[in-house]
Amino acid sequence: MPGFLLVLSGPSGVGKSSIGDLLLKDPAIVRSVSATTRPPRGGERGGVDYFFLDPPDFERKAKAGEFLEHATFGKNRYGTPRPFVEGKVREGNVVLLVIEVQGARQVRDAGLSCHSVFVRPPSWQALEERLRSRGTDSPDDIARRLDIARGELAAAAEFEAVVINRDLKQAAREVKALVDGWRGGGA
Ligand code: 5GP
């Protein structure tokens, strides 16, 4: 059975990575590790959470076509390494991309089989609280992420499905049910 890309998008802090982690319990779902110019947060490991690149290196790879998609988010660049993703889809896997909305648009145009889910917070206030309480970003960075989030929420209708993250496990179950349906349909 052919694989497909599973794009999980939504505002920063909405819980897409946590939903992604739960989906990865399914051995036929693999996560793409993105490249970024953002410095590592506490506990993040190169090659596991991200490939941490310096800006010239990132731009060189972008120019050489090594990313399936790439985008600027806040002050930083993010991109999906192409060879891993293409290889894994060819082998029949569901390849999970946890990315922001500009990248999601590019992936839809990349010509690979693709399904996309947008994760919404239950409320604006819940998103603010989550970004503040995770304690990983500076006040400036949080303000920037919230500013970007307004535009991102307006893009929800571009996605095949929208899941509200009221409860992490429930949201992950909903995404998993969508994936199972897409698999059954031969994607
Ligand atoms: P963070 O700095 O919080 O890890 O990521 C910031 C935003 O960039 C999040 O919305 C995250 O999903 C997104 N992102 C992470 N990797 C990629 C990528 O490879 N491409 C794109 N377009 N966005 C990404």
Side-chain angles (χ1 to χ4, degrees):
M1 216 202 302
F4 57 88
L5 297 176
L6 173 63
V7 174
L8 206 53
S9 201
S12 173
V14 78
K16 1 184 239 302
S17 297
S18 305
I19 293 173
D21 288 345
L22 292 178
L23 293 174
L24 292 175
K25 289 186 176 158
D26 178 337
I29 303 181
V30 294
R31 185 174 79 99
S32 160
V33 177
S34 294
T36 184
T37 60
R38 167 170 80 58
R41 291 187 185 122
E44 283 184 336
R45 285 175 299 160
V48 177
D49 300 289
Y50 279 108
F51 296 106
F52 295 101
L53 303 182
D54 56 29
D57 208 16
F58 188 100
E59 296 314 325
R60 190 186 51 73
K61 285 179 187 285
K63 225 172 169 179
E66 291 181 29
F67 296 129
L68 184 71
E69 58 74 35
H70 56 88
T72 302
F73 182 91
K75 291 182 178 166
N76 299 303
R77 304 274 283 141
Y78 296 83
T80 301
R82 184 191 291 277
F84 174 84
V85 165
E86 289 182 343
K88 288 291 178 188
V89 169
R90 254 197 313 272
E91 288 166 18
N93 296 282
V94 174
V95 182
L96 174 65
L97 308 183
V98 180
I99 61 178
E100 51 67 70
V101 299
Q102 306 163 68
R105 288 185 187 125
Q106 294 169 43
V107 170
R108 271 186 229 118
D109 295 338
L112 286 171
S113 176
C114 164
H115 292 286
S116 65
V117 179
F118 187 89
V119 184
R120 282 190 80 96
S123 67
W124 181 257
Q125 193 192 9
L127 185 67
E128 279 184 334
E129 276 168 17
R130 223 196 102 108
L131 268 173
R132 296 214 165 90
S133 69
R134 71 179 185 180
T136 50
D137 309 294
S138 68
D140 263 13
D141 201 34
I142 291 172
R144 198 173 303 119
R145 283 166 189 264
L146 284 169
D147 204 35
I148 297 170
R150 287 182 203 286
E152 292 190 306
L153 287 169
E158 296 171 20
F159 290 76
E160 271 176 274
V162 176
V163 166
I164 300 176
N165 187 13
R166 263 194 203 88
D167 171 81
L168 178 60
K169 284 190 179 149
Q170 175 58 25
R173 273 197 295 272
E174 287 176 29
V175 178
K176 178 72 167 57
L178 288 163
V179 172
D180 289 344
W182 288 324
R183 268 189 189 129

